[in-house]
């Protein structure tokens, strides 16, 4: 393997390491976003369920009150036969009127609640379906990201070992310059500028290269960096 091939492979590993380091920040953000999506759908589902259960509870409670007042109304009618004076008679009649008013009002409320209930039940079904869909779609991604997050440091360690195996095949003067550039390119891992015979420009910043620089680069005898961007030149022969 030539020096150029070795140093290109080293850069490719550093690019992969940079991506892994970047994923340390990106993956948790994505993971939180996926979990937040599920949590939001669950919140809306809970609200829809709460609304449905509230109406069902109100209907049940109103029916109990309605039956209670109907029974009490029947008792009031029975008492009319046993009243002893006009004052008691008037009191029972007033009681009857109040119970009838309550029964009529509660009956209307029950009708309205029962009319509204199917819509609320349908909304709950829709929210349940939305929640199930979001959860089923996001859960595999959450599990995948969780696994990736837990393995990032190990993956980086493996890449470093792979890189170290290539270093002995690269002259120290190339490594010194490469290592001096890399810290400023940690976010991308890109250190090299690929130079092609016909293109004659810096592969990193597109600076046009002079014939003198092109000649030195093509000789491959010593490391040369771009005067504009500081990237380390690697000459790519037509055969490569």
């Amino acid at each position: 393997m030539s020096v150029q091939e070795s140093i290109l492979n080293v850069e490719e590993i550093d690019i992969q390491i940079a991506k892994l380091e970047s994923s340390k920040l990106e993956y948790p953000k994505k993971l939180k976003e996926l979990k937040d999506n599920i949590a939001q759908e669950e919140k809306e589902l809970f609200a829809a369920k709460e609304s449905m259960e509230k109406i069902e509870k109100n209907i049940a409670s109103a029916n109990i009150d309605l039956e209670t007042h109907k029974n009490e109304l029947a008792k009031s009618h029975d008492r009319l036969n046993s009243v002893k004076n006009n004052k008691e008679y008037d009191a029972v009649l007033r009681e009857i009127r109040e119970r009838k008013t309550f029964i009529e009002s509660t009956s209307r409320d029950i009708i309205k609640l029962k009319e509204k209930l199917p819509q609320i039940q349908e909304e709950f079904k829709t929210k349940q379906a939305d929640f199930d869909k979001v959860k089923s779609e996001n859960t595999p991604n959450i599990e995948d990201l969780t696994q990736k997050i837990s393995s990032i440091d190990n993956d980086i360690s493996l890449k470093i070992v792979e890189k170290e195996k290539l270093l002995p095949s690269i002259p120290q003067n190339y490594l010194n310059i490469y290592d001096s550039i890399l810290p400023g390119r940690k976010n991308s891992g890109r250190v090299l500028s690929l130079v092609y015979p016909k293109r004659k420009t810096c592969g990193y910043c597109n600076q046009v290269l002079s014939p003198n620089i092109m000649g030195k680069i093509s000789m491959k005898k010593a490391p040369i960096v771009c005067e504009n961007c500081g990237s380390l030149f690697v000459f790519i022969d037509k055969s490569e």
Side-chain angles (χ1 to χ4, degrees):
M1 184 182 294
S2 68
V3 172
Q4 284 74 21
E5 290 173 328
S6 294
I7 203 165
L8 282 169
N9 288 336
V10 166
E11 184 195 50
E12 178 57 34
I13 292 172
D14 281 326
I15 289 172
Q16 293 171 7
I17 290 174
K19 289 179 179 178
L20 287 169
E21 290 288 356
S22 176
S23 68
K24 282 186 176 182
L25 298 175
E26 293 175 3
Y27 286 170
K29 289 180 182 178
K30 291 179 180 178
L31 184 61
K32 183 179 182 302
E33 183 180 335
L34 293 174
K35 288 183 175 180
D36 285 349
N37 288 341
I38 293 176
Q40 180 60 34
E41 291 295 336
E42 188 173 27
K43 181 180 178 181
E44 293 179 11
L45 174 62
F46 179 79
K49 182 180 180 182
E50 201 172 41
S51 296
M52 180 181 69
E53 290 178 344
K54 183 178 179 180
I55 289 180
E56 290 173 341
K57 183 179 179 180
N58 288 342
I59 290 173
S61 177
N63 277 321
I64 291 172
D65 290 342
L66 185 63
E67 288 303 312
T68 298
H69 277 74
K70 284 182 177 180
N71 291 333
E72 292 300 322
L73 178 61
K75 292 178 182 179
S76 295
H77 278 293
D78 291 340
R79 282 205 303 276
L80 278 178
N81 299 322
S82 59
V83 295
K84 298 178 180 180
N85 54 57
N86 290 336
K87 185 178 180 180
E88 288 183 12
Y89 187 81
D90 291 339
V92 173
L93 285 179
R94 185 167 59 251
E95 185 180 282
I96 289 172
R97 286 196 299 270
E98 289 174 353
R99 294 197 182 282
K100 284 183 176 180
T101 299
F102 180 87
I103 290 170
E104 291 172 358
S105 175
T106 303
S107 296
R108 287 195 297 269
D109 290 342
I110 291 173
I111 291 171
K112 289 179 182 178
L113 289 170
K114 286 184 175 180
E115 288 175 347
K116 188 177 182 180
L117 183 58
Q119 177 187 344
I120 301 298
Q121 289 173 328
E122 191 60 36
E123 288 176 2
F124 171 73
K125 289 180 182 179
T126 299
K127 290 299 180 183
Q128 181 70 64
D130 290 343
F131 171 74
D132 291 342
K133 180 181 178 182
V134 169
K135 187 175 181 180
S136 64
E137 289 177 348
N138 289 342
T139 296
N141 294 329
I142 288 173
E143 292 173 352
D144 181 54
L145 283 172
T146 302
Q147 176 62 33
K148 285 180 177 178
I149 289 170
S150 66
S151 67
I152 287 175
D153 288 335
N154 183 60
D155 292 341
I156 291 174
S157 297
L158 292 175
K159 289 296 177 184
I160 291 173
V161 171
E162 186 180 345
K163 175 182 175 179
E164 289 175 345
K165 291 179 180 178
L166 293 169
L167 298 183
S169 63
I170 302 172
Q172 191 60 48
N173 58 344
Y174 275 89
L175 287 178
N176 290 341
I177 294 176
Y178 185 96
D179 290 341
S180 70
I181 299 170
L182 182 59
R185 307 278 181 88
K186 280 290 187 180
N187 290 337
S188 68
R190 287 190 60 199
V191 172
L192 306 178
S193 164
L194 307 188
V195 178
Y196 296 88
K198 290 185 178 181
R199 196 173 300 169
K200 299 178 182 179
T201 59
C202 172
Y204 193 93
C205 68
N206 293 319
Q207 174 85 358
V208 176
L209 305 176
S210 67
N212 181 44
I213 293 295
M214 282 294 298
K216 290 180 179 180
I217 296 170
S218 63
M219 290 176 69
K220 308 178 185 178
K221 290 185 177 181
I224 302 173
V225 298
C226 177
E227 294 179 353
N228 184 55
C229 67
S231 299
L232 176 60
F233 288 127
V234 174
F235 190 74
I236 306 298
D237 293 317
K238 288 182 180 180
S239 59
E240 295 182 65

